[in-house]
PDB file of all heavy atoms in Angstrom:
ATOM      1  N   THR A 489     -33.665  33.971 -15.386  1.00 96.00           N
ATOM      2  CA  THR A 489     -32.683  34.851 -16.013  1.00 96.00           C
ATOM      3  C   THR A 489     -33.365  36.203 -16.377  1.00 96.00           C
ATOM      4  O   THR A 489     -32.763  37.266 -16.139  1.00 96.00           O
ATOM      5  CB  THR A 489     -32.090  34.205 -17.271  1.00 96.00           C
ATOM      6  OG1 THR A 489     -31.403  32.935 -16.830  1.00 96.00           O
ATOM      7  CG2 THR A 489     -31.077  35.129 -17.858  1.00 96.00           C
ATOM      8  N   GLU A 490     -34.523  36.071 -17.080  1.00 96.00           N
ATOM      9  CA  GLU A 490     -35.196  37.339 -17.448  1.00 96.00           C
ATOM     10  C   GLU A 490     -35.680  38.123 -16.250  1.00 96.00           C
ATOM     11  O   GLU A 490     -35.652  39.354 -16.309  1.00 96.00           O
ATOM     12  CB  GLU A 490     -36.347  36.950 -18.310  1.00 96.00           C
ATOM     13  CG  GLU A 490     -36.022  36.394 -19.718  1.00 96.00           C
ATOM     14  CD  GLU A 490     -37.108  35.774 -20.518  1.00 96.00           C
ATOM     15  OE1 GLU A 490     -38.208  35.935 -20.020  1.00 96.00           O
ATOM     16  OE2 GLU A 490     -36.806  35.164 -21.493  1.00 96.00           O
ATOM     17  N   ASN A 491     -36.130  37.389 -15.310  1.00 95.00           N
ATOM     18  CA  ASN A 491     -36.470  38.250 -14.054  1.00 95.00           C
ATOM     19  C   ASN A 491     -36.307  37.402 -12.814  1.00 95.00           C
ATOM     20  O   ASN A 491     -37.115  36.607 -12.356  1.00 95.00           O
ATOM     21  CB  ASN A 491     -38.103  38.467 -14.196  1.00 95.00           C
ATOM     22  CG  ASN A 491     -38.619  39.302 -13.015  1.00 95.00           C
ATOM     23  OD1 ASN A 491     -37.912  39.773 -12.212  1.00 95.00           O
ATOM     24  ND2 ASN A 491     -39.959  39.533 -13.052  1.00 95.00           N
ATOM     25  N   PRO A 492     -35.132  37.639 -12.227  1.00 94.00           N
ATOM     26  CA  PRO A 492     -34.761  36.869 -11.007  1.00 94.00           C
ATOM     27  C   PRO A 492     -35.661  37.024  -9.765  1.00 94.00           C
ATOM     28  O   PRO A 492     -35.725  36.310  -8.986  1.00 94.00           O
ATOM     29  CB  PRO A 492     -33.377  37.387 -10.556  1.00 94.00           C
ATOM     30  CG  PRO A 492     -32.839  38.142 -11.883  1.00 94.00           C
ATOM     31  CD  PRO A 492     -34.129  38.616 -12.566  1.00 94.00           C
ATOM     32  N   ASP A 493     -36.522  38.133  -9.927  1.00 93.00           N
ATOM     33  CA  ASP A 493     -37.459  38.450  -8.710  1.00 93.00           C
ATOM     34  C   ASP A 493     -38.856  38.126  -9.025  1.00 93.00           C
ATOM     35  O   ASP A 493     -39.795  38.667  -8.464  1.00 93.00           O
ATOM     36  CB  ASP A 493     -37.286  39.940  -8.294  1.00 93.00           C
ATOM     37  CG  ASP A 493     -35.886  40.315  -7.789  1.00 93.00           C
ATOM     38  OD1 ASP A 493     -35.279  39.415  -7.039  1.00 93.00           O
ATOM     39  OD2 ASP A 493     -35.340  41.263  -8.263  1.00 93.00           O
ATOM     40  N   ILE A 494     -39.135  37.328 -10.112  1.00 95.00           N
ATOM     41  CA  ILE A 494     -40.482  36.948 -10.474  1.00 95.00           C
ATOM     42  C   ILE A 494     -41.243  36.370  -9.215  1.00 95.00           C
ATOM     43  O   ILE A 494     -40.610  35.587  -8.445  1.00 95.00           O
ATOM     44  CB  ILE A 494     -40.427  35.911 -11.584  1.00 95.00           C
ATOM     45  CG1 ILE A 494     -41.878  35.945 -12.242  1.00 95.00           C
ATOM     46  CG2 ILE A 494     -39.969  34.577 -11.160  1.00 95.00           C
ATOM     47  CD1 ILE A 494     -41.753  35.238 -13.719  1.00 95.00           C
ATOM     48  N   ALA A 495     -42.468  36.765  -9.079  1.00 95.00           N
ATOM     49  CA  ALA A 495     -43.176  36.431  -7.845  1.00 95.00           C
ATOM     50  C   ALA A 495     -43.354  34.841  -7.766  1.00 95.00           C
ATOM     51  O   ALA A 495     -43.466  34.259  -6.726  1.00 95.00           O
ATOM     52  CB  ALA A 495     -44.525  37.119  -7.757  1.00 95.00           C
ATOM     53  N   THR A 496     -43.711  34.324  -8.866  1.00 96.00           N
ATOM     54  CA  THR A 496     -43.974  32.852  -9.026  1.00 96.00           C
ATOM     55  C   THR A 496     -43.665  32.453 -10.420  1.00 96.00           C
ATOM     56  O   THR A 496     -43.916  33.188 -11.314  1.00 96.00           O
ATOM     57  CB  THR A 496     -45.391  32.482  -8.605  1.00 96.00           C
ATOM     58  OG1 THR A 496     -45.703  31.020  -8.992  1.00 96.00           O
ATOM     59  CG2 THR A 496     -46.456  33.314  -9.199  1.00 96.00           C
ATOM     60  N   LEU A 497     -43.321  31.133 -10.681  1.00 96.00           N
ATOM     61  CA  LEU A 497     -42.972  30.667 -12.023  1.00 96.00           C
ATOM     62  C   LEU A 497     -44.292  30.766 -12.792  1.00 96.00           C
ATOM     63  O   LEU A 497     -44.285  30.819 -14.032  1.00 96.00           O
ATOM     64  CB  LEU A 497     -42.529  29.181 -11.973  1.00 96.00           C
ATOM     65  CG  LEU A 497     -41.023  29.054 -11.823  1.00 96.00           C
ATOM     66  CD1 LEU A 497     -40.689  27.549 -11.659  1.00 96.00           C
ATOM     67  CD2 LEU A 497     -40.254  29.684 -12.998  1.00 96.00           C
ATOM     68  N   LEU A 498     -45.398  30.702 -12.151  1.00 96.00           N
ATOM     69  CA  LEU A 498     -46.682  30.667 -12.849  1.00 96.00           C
ATOM     70  C   LEU A 498     -46.949  32.054 -13.564  1.00 96.00           C
ATOM     71  O   LEU A 498     -47.771  32.116 -14.371  1.00 96.00           O
ATOM     72  CB  LEU A 498     -47.863  30.414 -11.925  1.00 96.00           C
ATOM     73  CG  LEU A 498     -47.879  28.848 -11.290  1.00 96.00           C
ATOM     74  CD1 LEU A 498     -48.744  28.872 -10.135  1.00 96.00           C
ATOM     75  CD2 LEU A 498     -48.283  28.028 -12.427  1.00 96.00           C
ATOM     76  N   GLU A 499     -46.130  33.012 -13.161  1.00 96.00           N
ATOM     77  CA  GLU A 499     -46.188  34.362 -13.686  1.00 96.00           C
ATOM     78  C   GLU A 499     -45.458  34.494 -14.912  1.00 96.00           C
ATOM     79  O   GLU A 499     -45.637  35.410 -15.774  1.00 96.00           O
ATOM     80  CB  GLU A 499     -45.882  35.445 -12.693  1.00 96.00           C
ATOM     81  CG  GLU A 499     -45.964  36.890 -13.134  1.00 96.00           C
ATOM     82  CD  GLU A 499     -45.338  37.854 -12.146  1.00 96.00           C
ATOM     83  OE1 GLU A 499     -44.732  37.375 -11.165  1.00 96.00           O
ATOM     84  OE2 GLU A 499     -45.402  39.057 -12.381  1.00 96.00           O
ATOM     85  N   ALA A 500     -44.477  33.717 -15.149  1.00 96.00           N
ATOM     86  CA  ALA A 500     -43.563  33.711 -16.194  1.00 96.00           C
ATOM     87  C   ALA A 500     -44.346  33.553 -17.608  1.00 96.00           C
ATOM     88  O   ALA A 500     -45.222  32.630 -17.588  1.00 96.00           O
ATOM     89  CB  ALA A 500     -42.495  32.668 -16.190  1.00 96.00           C
ATOM     90  N   PRO A 501     -44.137  34.274 -18.672  1.00 95.00           N
ATOM     91  CA  PRO A 501     -45.115  34.241 -19.785  1.00 95.00           C
ATOM     92  C   PRO A 501     -45.264  32.801 -20.270  1.00 95.00           C
ATOM     93  O   PRO A 501     -46.350  32.394 -20.727  1.00 95.00           O
ATOM     94  CB  PRO A 501     -44.376  35.220 -20.785  1.00 95.00           C
ATOM     95  CG  PRO A 501     -43.684  36.222 -19.867  1.00 95.00           C
ATOM     96  CD  PRO A 501     -43.208  35.428 -18.668  1.00 95.00           C
ATOM     97  N   TYR A 502     -44.184  32.004 -20.471  1.00 95.00           N
ATOM     98  CA  TYR A 502     -44.242  30.808 -21.103  1.00 95.00           C
ATOM     99  C   TYR A 502     -45.099  29.912 -20.332  1.00 95.00           C
ATOM    100  O   TYR A 502     -45.956  29.127 -20.874  1.00 95.00           O
ATOM    101  CB  TYR A 502     -42.811  30.164 -21.216  1.00 95.00           C
ATOM    102  CG  TYR A 502     -42.841  28.706 -21.706  1.00 95.00           C
ATOM    103  CD1 TYR A 502     -42.971  28.427 -23.022  1.00 95.00           C
ATOM    104  CD2 TYR A 502     -42.825  27.675 -20.716  1.00 95.00           C
ATOM    105  CE1 TYR A 502     -43.052  27.076 -23.483  1.00 95.00           C
ATOM    106  CE2 TYR A 502     -42.841  26.285 -21.149  1.00 95.00           C
ATOM    107  CZ  TYR A 502     -42.984  26.055 -22.511  1.00 95.00           C
ATOM    108  OH  TYR A 502     -42.988  24.751 -22.980  1.00 95.00           O
ATOM    109  N   PHE A 503     -44.925  29.848 -18.944  1.00 96.00           N
ATOM    110  CA  PHE A 503     -45.734  28.894 -18.091  1.00 96.00           C
ATOM    111  C   PHE A 503     -47.103  29.473 -17.977  1.00 96.00           C
ATOM    112  O   PHE A 503     -48.128  28.669 -17.839  1.00 96.00           O
ATOM    113  CB  PHE A 503     -45.078  28.795 -16.745  1.00 96.00           C
ATOM    114  CG  PHE A 503     -43.725  28.040 -16.867  1.00 96.00           C
ATOM    115  CD1 PHE A 503     -42.542  28.621 -16.523  1.00 96.00           C
ATOM    116  CD2 PHE A 503     -43.602  26.712 -17.300  1.00 96.00           C
ATOM    117  CE1 PHE A 503     -41.268  28.015 -16.662  1.00 96.00           C
ATOM    118  CE2 PHE A 503     -42.513  26.046 -17.437  1.00 96.00           C
ATOM    119  CZ  PHE A 503     -41.263  26.634 -17.095  1.00 96.00           C
ATOM    120  N   ALA A 504     -47.325  30.749 -17.911  1.00 96.00           N
ATOM    121  CA  ALA A 504     -48.684  31.338 -17.887  1.00 96.00           C
ATOM    122  C   ALA A 504     -49.481  30.911 -19.131  1.00 96.00           C
ATOM    123  O   ALA A 504     -50.612  30.490 -18.942  1.00 96.00           O
ATOM    124  CB  ALA A 504     -48.632  32.859 -17.655  1.00 96.00           C
TER     125      ALA A 504
END
Side-chain angles (χ1 to χ4, degrees):
T489 299
E490 290 169 10
N491 183 1
D493 299 320
I494 195 167
T496 169
L497 273 177
L498 293 165
E499 184 188 3
Y502 173 82
F503 293 116

